[in-house]
Amino acid sequence: MLQTFQNLTWRELVFSLKSFAAAVLALYISLRLDFSQPMWSVTTVYIVAQPLAGMVLSKSVYRVLGTVIGAAASLAFVALFSNSPELFCLVLALWIGLGTTITIYLRDAPQAYVGMLSGYSAAIIGLPAALAPEVAFEYATSRCLEIMVGIGCATLMHHLIFPQRAGDALRKALDATLPSMARWAQDALQGRQSEVTGLLDRRRILNAVVSLDLMRIFATFDTPAIRVVDPAIRQFEGTLLSLLAMLMSVYDRFAALVQERPATADALRPLLAQVADHMANSAETKAIANTEAEQFDEAALRRELNAHLPDIATLRVDTRSFLVRSMLLRLGDVLDLWRDVVWLRTHIARGQRLPPDAPTPSRRPHRDFATALLGGGIAALAVLLTSAFWILSAWPNGWTAVIFAGIICAIMGGRDNPAAASTIFLWMSLAGIPIAAFYLFVILPPLSGFAALAVAFAPFYLVTGALLAVPRAIPFTLPLILTAGGLMPIVNTMTYDFAAFLNSAIGFIGGTGIGVLTLALFWPLRTDWAVQRLMCATFADLAAIGHGNIDRPAFESRMFDRSNALFARLDPMKADERAIMQGSLGSLRLGLNMITLHRLRYSLPSAAVHTITNALAEVAEYFTRASHNALGATPLPALSRTSAELLHSDDSPLVLRAAESLYNIDMLMKRHAIFFGQPTADATFQPQPVTA
């Protein structure tokens, strides 16, 4: 924390000043309107505060929506179950569990915030209201107004005073994406990367591409011009993912060629270098005229690619030549996709809409319903355990513990190790108690007037506000703000009751502690479990494709999302973890080859269709079992046999393409034997000539 504080820049200081100004304004309005808990407005300002204006507005919208839903649910629960505390707590626990399930399921989508807020807002509003049902509506209205005042002040300040717009950040990211990808392609295709360096670079590029979609959503909130080109940006993102898949495919095949046929690889290096140079030269293109001029260079590259393609006679003698053919065909796909992505970039740069018939695919991230359901169940269990302790012990402030047990499980649920993260929250909450006590019993009593109050709060909130702008400091800073604000009941007529303060503090810590203990005992999920879940989801997708369930854009976006999640969890310096990272990228290419086979079946002779269908059925069966952590008979013999039969049966380009796709699936499963559960001895396979 000290190092973070020493490295603060003027941006973090400006962010802190804006947040503090919003907090002071929210507190002033809340006191003028004589709300019962004005500090909720202050705390809300810091909860929704984000570096970019669009992020603030997005979070604010979903927080308001979640709060209103939670308030409505709490009033319904009070009306139905206020006379039965046990039933009230049961329904509240199930509601919080449902909200947590939705939040974990939606993961990093902005809409996930609604589930979390609607869950614990029902507890924040409902529990005090259940203790005094006659004023339940007034209490719910007051809480909603306090939160909305905080949201309104935060949104106003971050949009009017030196706003940092998500639209500007998105434009910078879009400008940097193609040059970054071109630089990576140059390094990768010209053999300047080691295996580890290549994975690290791919992780960086992949994270940048996946992050564009979230930035686009935020930009639509604060930059009207982005809404005009939103379809073009979505199409740009989808094409980037396809381009990234093709580049990784070329990279992987060229790495195999370097290992197995170094002479052939050396002969093809100049061609790969030319493609990389073509990408680098056109990466900055933003004018239509420039894209037309670059088509001549692309046409020359295509002629040279076609000249190096092995013919069918060569493939029948040596199936290993499929490696060269497949790499060159994918290199041609790279040229196609690069032309499309540059064309889209010119439309975005000029603020020009796409033609009416242009597709606008949406991103389909990875979702894990089982993990979400487990997280929601544990949140409900924590609330039930805390509620039981409250009711059985007749603890007057036990309802505070119930609220914070639900909050901690809703916030921390779904992480690989939520107990560790929630433990940090607990320790920082403990640190917030003496800060609140110092303010409440030392600093505030002699003060008079709102100006003195604002000056007194400045040191704490300016420091924590600056730290809140640093992502790695948020887990340490936010609990301080929540605890200090929650334990300081600032109202127009102050009372300083140490016993009430102590009871509230015990409720804060007791509820958080029960939440931490519940997560530690009933959420035995660690990184290896999360990795296994991601792998099983990948195998389930491959099985679905084998059975004919095809949606290429959705499959690509889910696979990149999973790869991004795996890359964030694994260490490329460890051989076994590096194999999983490489296998996740290989599974994307394997799925694309299966999709190609399904689409080719409509144009192939019936005999070829029959053999391909049987091979795909074996692959689908294998991955169905693998998705349930069960090993089945390997489909490799069927793949090799079917590829050889097709290669010998016909000279047509479509049959040749089908044989190539089968060969690619076979090669990928052997090259990534650890990931796909194949015997490691199969990872190095020898060329098998096909004889008549």
Side-chain angles (χ1 to χ4, degrees):
M1 292 291 289
L2 180 61
Q3 183 182 9
T4 301
F5 188 75
Q6 291 173 340
N7 292 331
L8 293 177
T9 66
W10 65 269
R11 291 183 177 85
E12 287 79 23
L13 297 179
V14 169
F15 173 84
S16 180
L17 287 170
K18 291 194 295 183
S19 299
F20 183 66
V24 170
L25 179 61
L27 181 60
Y28 179 79
I29 293 173
S30 299
L31 289 171
R32 290 286 293 179
L33 296 177
D34 201 21
F35 290 152
S36 59
Q37 294 187 30
M39 288 302 289
W40 275 107
S41 299
V42 175
T43 303
T44 299
V45 167
Y46 285 94
I47 289 176
V48 301
Q50 299 290 324
L52 300 177
M55 296 172 71
V56 175
L57 187 55
S58 171
K59 198 170 183 179
S60 299
V61 167
Y62 292 118
R63 184 172 179 84
V64 168
L65 182 59
T67 301
V68 171
I69 293 173
S74 67
L75 290 175
F77 299 159
V78 169
L80 294 172
F81 307 111
S82 60
N83 293 326
S84 177
E86 294 82 4
L87 282 177
F88 182 88
C89 291
L90 174 61
V91 173
L92 181 64
L94 294 175
W95 178 258
I96 292 175
L98 176 63
T100 305
T101 299
I102 293 172
T103 296
I104 297 174
Y105 182 74
L106 295 178
R107 292 172 53 231
D108 55 355
Q111 296 85 349
Y113 205 48
V114 176
M116 182 192 304
L117 262 295
S118 62
Y120 66 68
S121 291
I124 292 171
I125 296 170
L127 284 167
L131 298 175
E134 66 279 1
V135 293
F137 183 78
E138 291 82 354
Y139 191 88
T141 304
S142 179
R143 290 294 81 72
C144 288
L145 290 175
E146 288 161 4
I147 290 171
M148 289 179 185
V149 166
I151 288 172
C153 293
T155 304
L156 182 69
M157 289 298 174
H158 286 284
H159 273 74
L160 295 183
I161 301 176
F162 303 114
Q164 297 185 46
R165 302 195 182 279
D168 297 334
L170 177 64
R171 289 192 180 98
K172 291 179 182 178
L174 290 171
D175 289 341
T177 299
L178 292 189
S180 295
M181 191 169 285
R183 285 192 297 272
W184 175 74
Q186 281 186 308
D187 293 340
L189 299 183
Q190 295 178 14
R192 299 174 186 168
Q193 295 178 319
S194 65
E195 187 178 18
V196 173
T197 304
L199 278 175
L200 291 173
D201 282 350
R202 276 180 278 185
R203 176 168 64 182
R204 179 176 52 80
I205 293 290
L206 178 56
N207 184 63
V209 173
V210 171
S211 299
L212 280 178
D213 192 65
L214 194 59
M215 187 67 70
R216 175 188 62 82
I217 294 172
F218 294 139
T220 57
F221 279 91
D222 65 11
T223 309
I226 294 296
R227 299 183 202 125
V228 176
V229 292
D230 183 65
I233 297 174
R234 289 167 56 193
Q235 180 66 19
F236 181 78
E237 292 169 1
T239 310
L240 273 180
L241 291 177
S242 298
L243 174 63
L244 194 56
M246 289 301 110
L247 281 171
M248 291 177 179
S249 179
V250 173
Y251 176 85
D252 194 53
R253 284 164 170 79
F254 186 65
L257 202 61
V258 169
Q259 183 180 0
E260 297 171 14
R261 297 190 173 185
T264 305
D266 290 339
L268 292 174
R269 281 183 192 277
L271 179 57
L272 269 66
Q274 290 178 44
V275 173
D277 290 341
H278 169 75
M279 294 173 65
N281 292 336
S282 55
E284 303 283 354
T285 297
K286 295 182 183 178
I288 299 294
N290 292 339
T291 60
E292 293 172 351
E294 286 153 6
Q295 290 179 0
F296 296 102
D297 185 29
E298 181 185 335
L301 286 172
R302 289 192 176 281
R303 288 193 294 270
E304 193 163 353
L305 284 174
N306 293 331
H308 284 83
L309 282 176
D311 56 23
I312 193 167
T314 303
L315 295 171
R316 285 174 173 169
V317 174
D318 180 11
T319 56
R320 209 56 180 160
S321 297
F322 264 126
L323 188 59
V324 176
R325 179 181 177 84
S326 180
M327 186 192 75
L328 294 177
L329 288 175
R330 299 296 79 75
L331 204 56
D333 293 337
V334 166
L335 289 174
D336 287 336
L337 290 167
W338 185 257
R339 182 185 64 248
D340 293 344
V341 82
V342 170
W343 179 81
L344 287 165
R345 182 69 190 91
T346 60
H347 279 68
I348 296 170
R350 299 173 64 197
Q352 190 175 21
R353 295 180 185 270
L354 288 180
D357 57 345
T360 54
S362 59
R363 180 171 169 259
R364 307 283 183 86
H366 165 71
R367 304 288 187 222
D368 190 339
F369 181 70
T371 299
L373 196 60
L374 179 61
I378 291 174
L381 179 61
V383 173
L384 284 176
L385 291 174
T386 315
S387 300
F389 179 76
W390 171 37
I391 293 171
L392 293 174
S393 66
W395 177 19
N397 278 76
W399 59 272
T400 307
V402 175
I403 292 174
F404 275 84
I407 288 176
I408 195 68
C409 290
I411 293 175
M412 301 300 174
R415 303 192 182 196
D416 290 352
N417 192 353
S422 56
T423 301
I424 294 173
F425 192 100
L426 175 61
W427 285 113
M428 297 310 296
S429 297
L430 283 168
I433 292 175
I435 295 174
F438 181 71
Y439 265 98
L440 196 58
F441 300 107
V442 177
I443 296 181
L444 297 184
L447 298 183
S448 177
F450 182 79
L453 180 66
V455 172
F457 277 148
F460 174 72
Y461 282 110
L462 286 175
V463 172
T464 54
L467 293 173
L468 202 61
V470 182
R472 64 180 180 179
I474 292 175
F476 302 92
T477 308
L478 195 56
L480 282 176
I481 295 174
L482 289 173
T483 305
L487 292 176
M488 285 190 285
I490 306 298
V491 291
N492 286 309
T493 304
M494 290 291 294
T495 58
Y496 302 98
D497 187 339
F498 183 77
F501 171 84
L502 188 60
N503 271 312
S504 296
I506 293 173
F508 272 56
I509 299 304
T512 305
I514 293 175
V516 172
L517 187 61
T518 307
L519 289 169
L521 292 177
F522 298 99
W523 188 295
L525 313 183
R526 299 295 183 265
T527 299
D528 54 347
W529 192 91
V531 168
Q532 189 62 41
R533 293 287 303 169
L534 290 166
M535 292 173 62
C536 287
T538 295
F539 298 149
D541 262 3
L542 294 175
I545 292 174
H547 289 303
N549 185 6
I550 301 170
D551 185 345
R552 176 169 176 164
F555 171 69
E556 282 185 334
S557 59
R558 279 197 303 270
M559 286 305 305
F560 276 120
D561 197 30
R562 290 184 192 122
S563 295
N564 196 35
L566 286 170
F567 278 33
R569 289 173 167 88
L570 300 175
D571 183 1
M573 301 303 294
K574 298 178 180 178
D576 54 340
E577 296 187 8
R578 185 166 64 246
I580 295 175
M581 296 167 75
Q582 293 169 328
S584 69
L585 298 174
S587 61
L588 168 64
R589 299 191 295 276
L590 192 150
L592 294 179
N593 278 285
M594 293 171 67
I595 291 173
T596 298
L597 286 172
H598 274 291
R599 291 177 175 172
L600 287 173
R601 289 191 307 170
Y602 298 103
S603 306
L604 294 173
S606 58
V609 171
H610 179 72
T611 57
I612 290 172
T613 301
N614 290 338
L616 284 174
E618 288 200 36
V619 174
E621 176 62 24
Y622 178 80
F623 283 118
T624 298
R625 293 176 64 87
S627 67
H628 296 93
N629 288 319
L631 292 178
T634 177
L636 295 180
L639 291 170
S640 299
R641 182 176 62 254
T642 306
S643 179
E645 290 176 3
L646 289 176
L647 190 61
H648 183 65
S649 65
D650 201 323
D651 292 348
S652 71
L654 292 179
V655 171
L656 181 59
R657 180 68 187 276
E660 176 204 336
S661 294
L662 287 165
Y663 170 84
N664 288 337
I665 296 172
D666 181 76
M667 178 194 68
L668 285 165
M669 292 188 70
K670 290 173 178 175
R671 281 187 59 80
H672 304 290
I674 295 175
F675 184 86
F676 292 115
Q678 299 299 304
T680 53
D682 289 340
T684 56
F685 101 143
Q686 300 299 322
Q688 298 178 356
V690 180
T691 56

